[in-house]
Amino acid sequence: MREDDDVDGRVTLAEVATQAGVSLSTVSKVLNGRSDVSRPTRTKVERLLETHGYRRRAHGTPQAPLIELVFHELESVWAMELIRGVENVAKENNASVVLTESGTRHAPDPQWVEGVLRRRPLGVVLVFSTLPDNVKKQLRSRAIPFVIIDPAGDPEPDVPSVGSANWSGGMAATRHLIDCGHERIAIITGPDDMMCSLARLDGYRSAMAMAGLEANPRFVRFGDFHVQGGFSHAMELLEGPGRPTAIFAGSDLQALGVLEAARLQGLSVPRDLSVVGYDDVPLAQWSSPALTTIHQPLRHMAEEAAQMLLRPRDPSKAALRIELATKLMVRQSTAAPPPPSDA
């Protein structure tokens, strides 16, 4: 560790060590995320580094040729598309990809940052995550850039992010069903604490309002983006009279659950029920029937995020926010609604 690492000559690590009452090697351990430092000492050193506006000189500390990709879960085919996108960029830059599963869909575990500081990757791509202020400051002080993909909440102004046009996607999916002749249209969006879920729901409501149709509160459901969530909500929606003639599922996985629920209810898709998904993962083309869905450019989103990490950026400028377009993919799971007597 160089003792003269500083920001515009304002502070040296030796001065930080003196003020904290610790050795220079202890400050070095804190900077590198070593676990053999007590929490009170770590907190004291971090506060002093923050107070002095410490930034490690990028040329003084070589980084590992790694891009770290952080998920809160690694279960779905949706995640595979993002992994492929990051890998494409990593290969072009002679780097490798490290996958980490940590925390919730909002933020990684507090212990995660210690591992990142030890690994010193070229940068970090976080999926469905926000970052606490102290974590952002730690990463920036070590010159480790980060980007969030499709953030769970409204991204803060200082956080680079890549998303897609979720409102437009929700609008396009619902408008397609309306154009087919449907009026009783239900939606199973994602969790109610995620920005993308709410944006798709807003798109649905806007399309219904523009068509002069009322969105039945019973037809509005918050799912979990997984097959079981789509299945459970669809089973409830399809029971009894007055069922919807179409369901817009906020993910392809939820749409697969809707297809299974329709089968168990004795309904034919699309004759008795039309279904629209979201994401356009490869599996959507192989469902039975093939799924009409909104193409979300997942792989492209991941590529953009990884490229943002590797581009030089002026820290004084606002963080970049990229929003990619979505597209309706019409296949065999949607058609005109059944006659009223069959509904």
Side-chain angles (χ1 to χ4, degrees):
M1 175 64 62
R2 291 173 49 126
E3 293 188 24
D4 60 344
D5 282 349
D6 60 13
V7 180
D8 299 329
R10 285 178 295 180
V11 65
T12 67
L13 295 183
E15 290 170 340
V16 171
T18 299
Q19 292 177 30
V22 300
S23 66
L24 185 57
S25 64
T26 298
V27 176
S28 176
K29 289 178 181 180
V30 172
L31 281 169
N32 289 286
R34 292 270 296 276
S35 58
D36 53 341
V37 179
S38 70
R39 187 170 296 278
T41 298
R42 181 183 303 279
T43 300
K44 183 190 299 184
V45 172
E46 289 286 358
R47 284 177 179 168
L48 283 168
L49 291 170
E50 179 184 338
T51 299
H52 290 294
Y54 173 83
R55 293 291 184 276
R56 171 180 271 163
R57 291 173 177 171
H59 66 268
T61 52
Q63 294 176 296
L66 303 172
I67 296 176
E68 182 152 347
L69 178 56
V70 186
F71 294 89
H72 78 280
E73 60 182 4
L74 279 167
E75 297 178 355
S76 73
V77 292
W78 182 91
M80 288 304 301
E81 288 298 292
L82 296 178
I83 293 170
R84 290 190 180 100
V86 174
E87 282 187 332
N88 289 344
V89 175
K91 288 178 181 177
E92 292 173 358
N93 291 273
N94 299 314
S96 300
V97 178
V98 174
L99 299 179
T100 301
E101 187 174 22
S102 177
T104 68
R105 59 178 171 263
H106 295 293
D109 289 326
Q111 297 80 8
W112 165 78
V113 71
E114 295 181 6
V116 174
L117 299 183
R118 288 193 300 270
R119 289 186 288 274
R120 297 270 314 141
L122 297 173
V124 182
V125 176
L126 300 110
V127 181
F128 280 172
S129 296
T130 54
L131 283 178
D133 286 341
N134 67 308
V135 173
K136 289 188 289 187
K137 290 171 182 174
Q138 285 178 294
L139 293 175
R140 285 172 178 147
S141 71
R142 276 65 159 193
I144 301 176
F146 55 88
V147 178
I148 293 179
I149 292 182
D150 205 5
D154 192 15
E156 297 173 325
D158 65 338
V159 177
S161 60
V162 180
S164 67
N166 289 291
W167 182 89
S168 298
M171 166 79 83
T174 310
R175 183 176 289 169
H176 169 67
L177 292 169
I178 294 170
D179 290 343
C180 287
H182 293 275
E183 296 184 357
R184 298 201 306 275
I185 303 170
I187 179 173
I188 306 172
T189 189
D192 62 2
D193 59 352
M194 294 180 66
M195 185 176 69
C196 60
S197 306
L198 298 176
R200 292 168 199 176
L201 176 58
D202 286 345
Y204 158 85
R205 285 175 166 153
S206 296
M208 294 288 283
M210 289 173 63
L213 300 174
E214 184 176 351
N216 186 334
R218 191 176 78 84
F219 288 177
V220 176
R221 304 295 180 102
F222 289 96
D224 59 5
F225 286 144
H226 294 296
V227 175
Q228 183 60 45
F231 174 80
S232 301
H233 284 294
M235 288 295 288
E236 295 177 5
L237 287 167
L238 297 176
E239 289 177 347
R243 63 172 176 81
T245 61
I247 295 178
F248 165 36
S251 73
D252 289 340
L253 293 180
Q254 287 188 154
L256 294 179
V258 173
L259 293 179
E260 177 61 12
R263 186 187 69 82
L264 293 179
Q265 294 281 1
L267 301 175
S268 173
V269 176
R271 185 190 66 197
D272 303 315
L273 177 73
S274 286
V275 180
V276 177
Y278 203 105
D279 290 330
D280 195 25
V281 297
L283 190 62
Q285 301 181 51
W286 298 101
S287 66
S288 182
L291 193 62
T292 293
T293 187
I294 298 297
H295 176 77
Q296 181 174 211
L298 296 171
R299 197 174 301 192
H300 188 192
M301 289 163 61
E303 290 172 345
E304 284 287 348
Q307 288 167 356
M308 286 170 68
L309 293 177
L310 303 176
R311 293 186 199 122
R313 195 179 74 82
D314 184 348
S316 66
K317 293 184 179 179
L320 183 62
R321 164 68 175 171
I322 296 177
E323 184 173 276
L324 302 178
T326 52
K327 181 182 179 182
L328 175 69
M329 308 297 291
V330 179
R331 299 192 180 106
Q332 287 75 52
S333 66
T334 51
S341 58
D342 294 339

